[in-house]
């Protein structure tokens, strides 16, 4: 297999990780946690979500969090933005990057953002243009690339169509979401094989949820095919409330353990990451899915 010399891990725990939690993590704890994450060596942190707080109550304090954290030079502080109203809130809170999102399957798009795919395009186009004009970078997500909780298999043509539209709007990077953690390495190889005929590997990121334990295997295949950016969540927190059965992202510390052991550079410090994972595990009050976190605490 071909291994890259270095990989970028994008930490999405404060957004994807917390959005599905029943426990409301206090704003000051979110801020303290993000400040810890800023010290781990991560260069990109998705810190919150400027969606409708009635849809995602766990992140209702998005503005306070974005305004309250200490910004470290060299780190991109990103936030999820669904529409113009969300962008205005994100700009007011001075995030560095807006992350727009939609699904490759009609039903998940409808359940998640209350709109059809075709109605979503002009809304996101306006958001991307306004964000770029305000000097922000824009990242895009396509969800349900490997399967939809409502429709099952998703057509690759639809994934390509949605991805094309997002790149045409001006996003700089597209994160391909395995929203319900259903992808397997052979499928990743097939789907990426088709996408890489069209899109540069450097502009693609993979976002694996680890619902069925295949995330690291999927990452290995993706790296072999030239992908070097992966989203992950400290503790293995995460999940989409509008995707039944979706559980956490691949745990950042599990991914880091594997990459470190393989000699692949990330710039991230495992001890600091584990300390941030222990912090949020305690605030959430349950054992989190991360393997390395449990190894670590059982050794103490
Ligand atoms: P809607 O109800 O259709 O919105 O929601 P609307 O435009 O009709 O407005 C209705 C009300 O919402 C109005 O308030 C608006 O002001 C308010 P009212 O007049 O009734 O008091 N509103 C907002 N308030 C604050 N911020 C906003 C905003 N927009 C409207 N930005 C909307 C449409 C998209 C807002 C809603 O469906 C929503 O918030 N959805 C978010 C769902 C979500 O966050 N899902 C999880 C993230 S996606 C994910 O996890 C997948 C990913 O990780 C990748 C993967 O794993 O595949 C990214
Ligand atoms: Mg996700």
């Amino acid at each position: 297999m071909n291994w890259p010399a270095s990989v970028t891990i994008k930490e999405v725990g404060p957004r994807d990780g917390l959005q599905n939690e029943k426990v409301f993590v206090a704003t000051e704890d979110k801020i303290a946690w993000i400040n810890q994450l800023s010290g781990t060596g991560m260069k990109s942190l998705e810190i919150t979500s400027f969606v409708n707080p009635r849809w995602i109550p766990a992140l209702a304090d998005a503005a306070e969090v974005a305004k309250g954290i200490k910004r470290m030079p060299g780190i991109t502080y990103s936030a999820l933005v669904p529409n113009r109203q969300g962008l205005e809130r994100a700009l007011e809170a001075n995030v560095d990057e807006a992350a727009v999102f939609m699904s490759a399957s009609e039903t998940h798009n409808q359940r998640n953002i209350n709109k059809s795919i075709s109605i979503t395009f002009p809304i996101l186009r306006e958001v991307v243009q306004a964000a770029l004009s305000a000097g922000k970078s824009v990242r895009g997500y396509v969800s349900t690339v490997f399967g939809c909780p409502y429709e099952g298999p998703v057509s690759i043509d639809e994934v390509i169509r949605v991805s094309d539209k997002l790149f045409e709007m001006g996003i700089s990077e597209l994160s391909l979401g395995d929203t319900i953690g259903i992808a397997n390495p052979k499928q990743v190889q097939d789907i990426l094989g088709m996408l890489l005929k069209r899109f540069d590997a450097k502009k693609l990121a993979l976002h694996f949820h680890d619902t069925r334990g295949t995330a690291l295997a999927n990452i290995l295949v993706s790296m072999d095919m030239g992908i070097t950016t992966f989203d992950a969540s400290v503790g293995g927190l995460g999940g989409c409330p509008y995707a039944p059965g979706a559980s956490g992202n691949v745990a950042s510390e599990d991914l880091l353990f594997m990459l470190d052991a393989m000699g692949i550079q990330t710039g991230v410090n495992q001890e600091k990451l584990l300390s941030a994972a222990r912090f949020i595990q305690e605030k959430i009050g349950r054992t989190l899915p991360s393997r390395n976190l449990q190894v670590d605490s059982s050794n103490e």
Side-chain angles (χ1 to χ4, degrees), residues 201-267:
K202 294 280 168 257
K203 293 197 161 185
L204 296 180
L206 269 295
H207 178 104
F208 291 114
H209 284 261
D210 201 23
T211 318
R212 293 167 181 81
T214 52
L216 287 180
N218 294 332
I219 288 172
L220 283 180
V221 170
S222 308
M223 285 198 296
D224 184 44
M225 297 184 78
I227 303 294
T228 54
T229 303
F230 298 96
D231 299 347
S233 174
V234 160
L237 278 166
C240 176
Y242 301 98
S247 66
N249 296 86
V250 64
S252 309
E253 57 273 30
D254 291 349
L255 175 57
L256 181 61
F257 172 81
M258 184 179 83
L259 297 174
D260 276 350
M262 292 171 75
I264 297 171
Q265 302 300 310
T266 60

Side-chain angles (χ1 to χ4, degrees), residues 102 121 125 160-170:
M102 61 183 299
F121 289 136
R125 178 166 291 110
I160 291 174
R161 189 174 78 91
V162 169
S163 305
D164 266 342
K165 292 267 192 202
L166 287 167
F167 275 121
E168 274 164 32
M169 290 175 199

Side-chain angles (χ1 to χ4, degrees), residues 12 15-16 19 141 143 177-179 207 209 238-240 249:
V12 297
R15 191 279 300 171
D16 203 327
Q19 72 184 11
Y141 281 103
S143 290
D178 180 18
T179 317
H207 178 104
H209 284 261
C240 176
N249 296 86

Side-chain angles (χ1 to χ4, degrees), residues 119-140:
I119 290 176
T120 305
F121 289 136
I123 293 171
L124 295 191
R125 178 166 291 110
E126 195 196 344
V127 171
V128 175
Q129 278 166 6
L132 293 175
S133 305
K136 308 295 178 183
S137 60
V138 187
R139 181 173 211 240

Side-chain angles (χ1 to χ4, degrees), residues 14 36 45 60 69 76 167 174 178 197 238 241 244:
Q36 287 179 30
L45 302 179
I69 57 169
T76 300
F167 275 121
L174 182 67
D178 180 18
K197 286 185 190 145

